[in-house]
Amino acid sequence: MPQLKIFVGTMYGGALDVAEQVAPLFEAAGYEVSILEQPSLDDLTETPPDLALFCLSTTGSGDFPGNFVPFARELDEKSPTLTALRYGLIALGDSSYGETFCGAGRRLDEMLQGLGATRLGARLEVDAMETFMADDAALPWVETWIEEQQLTVA
C-alpha cells in the first residue's frame, strides 16, 4: 500500500485539524496515512513517502509555525535532492496581513521546488478572513486533487 505523509505546521491547531479531516479521503483512495505533528527532514528523506501533503499555517509576518521551524531550517541547511518527491500543499493564512498572506506555505513551496520536488496541481491557500473553518475549503479541494491528479490506487 502506498504511503502518504502529511507534514503539519500549526500554531493553534488549525492545520492539524485540516490534516485529520482530509486523512480519511486518502485512506479511501488506497493510501496508508501518517500525520506528522513534529516533522523532521528524515521523515522526508530516510523513508520517503509515495506522496506528501503539507498543511501549513502562517504566523507573524509570513513565518513558519514553531513546530515546523526545525524542519524548514534543516531543509534549507542540508538542501537534499527531492526529485522523487510528489506533493500537495494546503497553506492557511489571513489576508489582512497583506503581502505575507500564506507566506509560510509560499516559502515552503519555493524551497521544495528549488530542491527538485514536484507539486501536483495548484497550491490551496485558505484565507481565515473568508473561511472560518479551514477544512470547509480543504475537504473539497482534496477530493478534487485526488481525482484530477489520478491519485486513487485502491
Side-chain angles (χ1 to χ4, degrees):
M1 180 177 286
Q3 185 174 40
L4 166 76
K5 290 184 180 178
I6 303 178
F7 294 79
V8 177
T10 192
M11 195 72 181
Y12 302 110
L16 177 59
D17 184 53
V18 167
E20 290 171 343
Q21 294 295 320
V22 302
L25 298 175
F26 288 101
E27 290 167 347
Y31 290 85
E32 180 181 327
V33 178
S34 303
I35 297 175
L36 307 167
E37 296 179 56
Q38 296 292 327
S40 72
L41 188 58
D42 286 348
D43 294 322
L44 198 58
T45 59
E46 296 300 314
T47 53
D50 297 287
L51 184 64
L53 179 65
F54 294 87
C55 293
L56 193 60
S57 296
T58 297
T59 64
S61 299
D63 301 320
F64 292 112
N67 76 305
F68 204 79
V69 168
F71 174 87
R73 185 176 297 133
E74 209 175 3
L75 188 65
D76 188 45
E77 290 172 357
K78 294 188 177 175
S79 298
T81 300
L82 298 176
T83 51
L85 179 66
R86 299 177 324 138
Y87 72 95
L89 186 91
I90 299 173
L92 283 62
D94 183 328
S95 62
S96 69
Y97 283 85
E99 290 182 14
T100 62
F101 170 64
C102 287
R106 292 174 180 177
R107 201 159 95 218
L108 177 66
D109 209 5
E110 287 176 12
M111 292 169 73
L112 293 170
Q113 289 182 31
L115 296 170
T118 302
R119 187 186 71 228
L120 302 178
R123 172 180 64 232
L124 173 64
E125 294 186 349
V126 181
D127 183 358
M129 294 296 289
E130 296 177 5
T131 308
F132 180 68
M133 298 296 291
D135 53 324
D136 288 344
L139 286 165
W141 180 86
V142 167
E143 288 173 341
T144 302
W145 189 63
I146 289 171
E147 185 179 321
E148 287 180 352
Q149 299 302 319
Q150 301 176 350
L151 299 174
T152 301
V153 293

